[in-house]
């Protein structure tokens, strides 16, 4: 009997989608390792939400601090790192320090490394193609390509027991996700959606609006508090 | 005219293969951003070698400290992170803390993110299939799959100007690499190969032996010092 069979990594931001993934993983009897990525200050509240959701499910919670990586590699760190040669800064000036290119690729690569470390067989991620039409790394084609890369690029993959990237929400709209979360009794009261990380939520940013519209279409009441409404 | 056309990221460990990649990138007129990954103590000497090689080519040198990431996410950190629930430790006990699963996937994902950040169009990596027959992530099939993943998963990729993963050494043996390095006047005297990070090199570990055999077959003299020899 393989004792690691039910271990799963869930990429958990503390938002509605990733919390629904937690609910699904829990429902499927997975032994959950929740993984939260931190890379800028705004995410402190998100990390708190993620921690609360992980606690709700009795899951272990691990934080990958990419902020430390980016601080060390940031172009702006030239001043404090004598070994870094001068840089003309053309690209740096136009891109905020908190911008993370290839974000989902980076998150999935770390989740994969973590999954191999703890012997997990599955990575849950709440990526969603419908909410993110402009993001290539939220499309099924990307997930398929990442899966293929795992299959040929890891020892487990070449031995036919690859880590699976599982994207249950990828083709669902927000109302579908909220209905699923309700059916699974996901702790949506703990989730954070507001772009500004506010509590009560602002109710006006794009993230809040998308969430509120989803609840309206799903015919459910949003359990979090809003400043307006 | 596109001012970023010649920017390239070179994954530089300070060893012979990655230094040869630096020489190739320099010869091809690339504006080089050397990227070194740190993830355990043994690598301090490697980082020094990498820094020296980057300086030799007047390249900017950036260090990605994955040690900080792994320290933060390590299973052993449960004691200092109250938000981490107890873990049974089955996997943790049998795997050293410095083991990095999916290493090349992680390195390439960070190199890709960095390349997008600085507007580089190419990533040089000295991965080599012949020296690493047991490593799936050193095979051309893996590189092809990673490239495909970039092509469909990044904005630049979907717009037909993907970041290219360039693996000039992937099918070369050590003697071929040493001959190429010599032709390009690569500063092999600055490189570190010894598994134990020693200087003079031990001359006896697998890494030293492979290097010495390569120089012998190439008919060249190794410019570094060995304890024996």
């Amino acid at each position: 009997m393989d004792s690691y069979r039910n271990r799963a990594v869930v990429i958990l931001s503390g938002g509605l989608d990733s919390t629904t993934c937690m609910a699904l993983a829990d429902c499927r009897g997975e032994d959950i390792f929740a993984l939260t990525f931190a890379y800028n200050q705004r995410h402190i509240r998100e990390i708190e939400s993620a921690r609360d959701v992980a606690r709700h499910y009795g899951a272990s919670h691990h934080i990958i601090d990419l902020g430390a990586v980016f601080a060390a590699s940031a172009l702006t760190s030239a001043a404090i790192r004598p070994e870094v040669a001068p840089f003309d800064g053309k690209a740096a000036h136009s891109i905020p320090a908190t911008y993370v290119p290839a974000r989902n690729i980076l998150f999935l690569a770390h989740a994969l490394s973590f999954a191999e470390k703890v012997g997990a067989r599955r990575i849950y991620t709440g990526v969603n193609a419908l909410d993110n039409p402009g993001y290539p790394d939220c499309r099924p084609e990307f997930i398929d390509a990442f899966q293929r890369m795992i299959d040929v690029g890891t020892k487990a993959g070449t031995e036919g027991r690859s880590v699976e990237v599982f994207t249950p929400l990828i083709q669902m709209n927000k109302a579908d996700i909220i209905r699923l979360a309700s059916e699974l009794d996901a702790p949506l009261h703990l989730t954070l959606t507001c772009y500004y990380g506010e509590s009560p939520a602002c109710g006006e940013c794009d993230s809040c609006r998308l969430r509120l519209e989803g609840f309206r279409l799903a015919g459910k009441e949003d359990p979090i508090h809003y400043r307006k409404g």
Side-chain angles (χ1 to χ4, degrees), chain A residues 199-223:
Chain A
S199 180
C202 80
E204 291 182 328
C205 69
D206 285 350
S207 300
C208 280
R209 282 175 193 222
L210 186 64
R211 175 178 175 127
L212 285 167
E213 177 71 358
F215 273 95
R216 196 184 64 75
L217 291 173
K220 304 282 179 187
E221 190 152 352
D222 190 346

